[in-house]
Amino acid sequence: MPSDSPDRDRLKVVLVTPRNPLNIGAAARAMSNFGFFDLRLVAPYDLAFREARSAVGAASLLENARVFPTVAEAVADCTLVVGTTSLGHRGLQHRLRRLEIGGRLIRKHLVAGNLALLFGSEKFGLTNEEMAYCNWLTRIPSREQHGSMNLGQAVAVCLYEVIRNAKAAEEQPKPLKPATCERVDRLTVMLETALDKSGYMNPRTKASSEAKLRRLVRRMEPSARDVEVWLGMLRQILWKLDQK
C-alpha cells in the first residue's frame, strides 16, 4: 500500500472514550507516520486533547479529528468495523484474529470500502457493548503476562501491520558503484605511505606487510564513494605527518 494510496483514506481510526490527551496525541502522530489521517474519537474524557504535545508533526490531523457521542455514529459510514483487544480473561463472542492475519484482511477490504479500526479506553479496552459494533476482532501478539499496550503504541503497531509489504522488504538495495582498480591501487599506496611514515611498518617485513595490506583492501571491496572518502582522510593524515 503506497504512502499516497487512496485506500488509506478509507481507514478510520476510532478511539473509544480515550482518557489521556497524551495518548491521543501519540496515536495521531502514529497515524501521520503511516499516512492515515481520519481520526475519530468517541466521548473523550477531555476535549483539550487537540493541544496534546505528543502529536509532534500531526497537529493538523489532531485539529481535524472528529468527536462523536457514540460508537454507532463514529462508524456509520463504514462497511467493516474491526475491534482491537488484548486476549485477557473474558470470553469473546467474536472471531479473533492475530494482527498478522488481520492486517492482510484490512488491506484487502480497503480496496473497496471504508473500515473503522476501534481502540478502547486505556483502562478497560473495548466493552462488550462496544464490541457488538465490530465484525471481528484483532490482537497484537504480546506475551500473556503483559498483554495490554499503551494506546499510542497499539495504534502504531496496528497501522504498521496494515501497510507492511513483505515483498518490499525482500527487495535488495541498489548496489553501490564499485571502485576502479586504479583508485583502489591509489588508496593502497597512500595507506602504505601513511603506515610507513607513522612507524607502523617494520623495515624487515615491509614487502610481506604491503602484500597483506593490498589483499586486505581488496577483500573489503570498497565502493567508488568509499574510496574517495578514504583518500580524503589519508591526504589529511599524510599532510599532518609531513608537518612534523
Side-chain angles (χ1 to χ4, degrees):
M1 184 183 294
S3 59
D4 58 350
S5 170
D7 296 352
R8 298 198 186 202
D9 295 335
R10 299 190 182 107
L11 189 143
K12 323 298 178 182
V13 173
V14 182
L15 308 183
V16 183
T17 60
R19 306 173 67 89
N20 190 330
L22 294 179
N23 287 337
I24 299 172
R29 181 176 184 177
M31 291 177 63
S32 182
N33 287 148
F34 296 116
F36 299 96
F37 300 99
D38 195 336
L39 174 61
R40 303 178 179 188
L41 298 103
V42 177
Y45 274 68
D46 188 353
L47 290 179
F49 71 83
R50 296 187 191 277
E51 300 175 4
R53 295 182 180 180
S54 52
V56 178
S60 61
L61 189 155
L62 200 59
E63 181 63 28
N64 293 324
R66 288 186 283 173
V67 177
F68 296 85
T70 65
V71 172
E73 292 170 275
V75 303
D77 61 340
C78 297
T79 54
L80 184 70
V81 180
V82 177
T84 59
T85 183
S86 60
L87 201 53
H89 300 290
R90 60 180 171 178
L92 300 177
Q93 304 301 316
H94 292 72
R95 178 176 295 179
L96 178 64
R97 295 182 168 105
R98 278 176 57 111
L99 184 57
E100 303 96 314
I101 299 172
R104 293 198 298 268
L105 295 175
I106 289 172
R107 284 196 299 273
K108 183 177 180 180
H109 184 86
L110 289 176
V111 174
N114 289 345
L115 182 146
L117 188 57
L118 267 61
F119 296 85
S121 74
E122 300 92 325
K123 192 171 184 179
F124 303 109
L126 292 172
T127 66
N128 289 333
E129 181 180 354
E130 291 158 356
M131 287 184 185
Y133 290 94
C134 300
N135 296 90
W136 47 270
L137 304 175
T138 189
R139 62 176 287 266
I140 298 169
S142 52
R143 69 188 183 99
E144 184 179 351
Q145 294 85 348
H146 194 180
S148 178
M149 292 183 68
N150 170 272
L151 177 59
Q153 293 174 333
V155 171
V157 172
C158 288
L159 295 183
Y160 170 73
E161 190 63 36
V162 170
I163 66 140
R164 186 169 67 88
N165 184 342
K167 292 183 179 179
E170 295 173 358
E171 294 178 1
Q172 297 298 316
K174 292 182 179 180
L176 296 175
K177 182 180 178 181
T180 64
C181 289
E182 184 274 330
R183 299 309 282 170
V184 173
D185 281 339
R186 176 63 178 158
L187 169 60
T188 305
V189 170
M190 289 187 70
L191 186 55
E192 291 171 353
T193 303
L195 293 174
D196 194 25
K197 288 187 175 184
S198 68
Y200 177 84
M201 290 286 197
N202 186 328
R204 290 179 299 178
T205 59
K206 185 177 180 180
S208 62
S209 296
E210 288 178 349
K212 290 178 182 177
L213 184 62
R214 194 170 298 277
R215 290 194 296 269
L216 172 64
V217 173
R218 277 155 179 74
R219 282 199 302 270
M220 294 169 60
E221 297 183 355
S223 68
R225 183 174 60 186
D226 289 343
V227 165
E228 297 309 314
V229 173
W230 278 106
L231 288 174
M233 291 190 290
L234 288 169
R235 289 189 194 99
Q236 183 66 19
I237 291 171
L238 289 171
W239 180 80
K240 281 288 185 180
L241 290 173
D242 288 340
Q243 302 306 304
K244 296 181 178 181

